[in-house]
Amino acid sequence: MNEVLVWCFDLDAIDAAEVGAVLSVDERERAARFRFAIHRERFIAARGALRYALGAVLEMAPAAIEFEYGEHGKPELNGVQFNLSHSDRWALVAITRAAAVGIDVERVNPERGNPAIARRFFAEREIAELELLTGEAYTRGFFNCWTRKEAVLKAAGTGIAGGLSSFAVPVGEMEEPVHIESPDCWVGNLSGAFPYLEGEGFSSALALIGQRPLVRRVCDTVLRIPVRRTFK
């Protein structure tokens, strides 16, 4: 079965003070190293949301989940494949039993999406396609490319260390997932599942090793994650 469960969480709506209780000592220590409270609280909320989602799938208490970490720092858990990405207030969590999965969300930022960065990190085909675009279309194409490549490398378990320029993805709009030969995976958009992300200026993508993903959006309210009584 190639089904991938995907949640989208508003980190600023989660009560970080309560959710922090389910984190491991290591996760709390990592959170404490953030200089600004908003970054610390969003980190806690994201890791807590991941634990609540995994707990629901595995029928375990969120605090009882014990991660192992791969060579490149990717958390692992026997019996299920998962990945987390967050940018500003939004977090995406993907969980599947099918194969290794990667997910990515990024705020679209014209200052970061520029030709100099593209020429440094992207494959020649992607650079050539982007050079045909200008203005807002270029910025959107850049972040389409970036999130898709990040999702692929996270699925492969290598992260950016795997080389963003070692393979190419489409930079334009994709109605359906496409196959990437190396690493062998399928990568697709999440704009259909979470259209409000694109509307708020974010780009997102999901990749599944060896199989075409069947994305199933899951409502986060069923997880009963503690939420703030007043929103920021």
Side-chain angles (χ1 to χ4, degrees):
M1 183 69 173
N2 58 344
E3 183 178 66
V4 182
L5 307 180
V6 183
W7 289 259
C8 183
F9 297 98
D10 181 349
L11 300 179
D12 290 348
I14 294 174
D15 190 330
E18 285 198 46
V19 168
V22 307
L23 269 57
S24 67
V25 172
D26 174 67
E27 287 170 321
R28 292 178 198 152
E29 290 176 347
R30 289 174 60 188
R33 291 197 286 269
F34 284 93
R35 179 179 178 183
F36 297 107
I38 190 170
H39 299 148
R40 180 170 58 254
E41 291 175 359
R42 284 174 173 172
F43 173 85
I44 292 170
R47 297 293 295 199
L50 171 64
R51 285 178 168 272
Y52 272 86
L54 285 168
V57 172
L58 298 172
E59 298 182 345
M60 294 176 60
I65 296 170
E66 296 184 6
F67 297 116
E68 296 182 355
Y69 291 88
E71 179 182 355
H72 299 280
K74 183 179 181 180
E76 301 174 349
L77 199 61
N78 286 336
V80 69
Q81 300 286 338
F82 64 94
N83 200 223
L84 161 71
S85 179
H86 56 97
S87 178
D88 289 351
R89 62 185 282 221
W90 294 110
L92 291 172
V93 169
I95 301 177
T96 182
R97 297 183 187 275
V101 66
I103 200 165
D104 193 57
V105 58
E106 302 283 347
R107 175 176 284 283
V108 175
N109 182 344
E111 294 183 1
R112 287 181 52 210
N114 62 69
I117 295 178
R119 286 192 292 269
R120 180 179 178 186
F121 291 108
F122 291 172
E124 291 185 5
R125 192 187 82 189
E126 296 162 340
I127 296 170
E129 290 183 22
L130 285 170
E131 288 178 347
L132 299 176
L133 306 174
T134 59
E136 185 178 338
Y138 182 95
T139 302
R140 173 57 63 180
F142 178 98
F143 279 94
N144 283 343
C145 186
W146 187 277
T147 54
R148 292 164 189 173
K149 292 171 84 67
E150 281 269 22
V152 169
L153 290 176
K154 292 173 77 176
T158 60
I160 293 179
L164 284 169
S165 63
S166 63
F167 63 96
V169 298
V171 304
E173 299 304 316
M174 297 191 310
E175 293 186 3
E176 299 291 339
V178 300
H179 182 251
I180 306 297
E181 291 187 359
S182 180
D184 175 21
C185 72
W186 289 77
V187 60
N189 295 328
L190 288 171
S191 56
F194 307 102
Y196 51 85
L197 285 180
E198 186 172 337
E200 292 195 18
F202 290 82
S203 181
S204 58
L206 179 138
L208 187 67
I209 294 295
Q211 299 186 53
R212 182 189 181 99
L214 176 62
V215 173
R216 181 159 73 87
R217 171 181 173 176
V218 186
C219 179
D220 61 328
T221 57
V222 301
L223 299 179
R224 301 184 182 278
I225 298 177
V227 297
R228 296 179 184 272
R229 294 185 178 179
T230 57
F231 292 92
K232 293 184 176 180

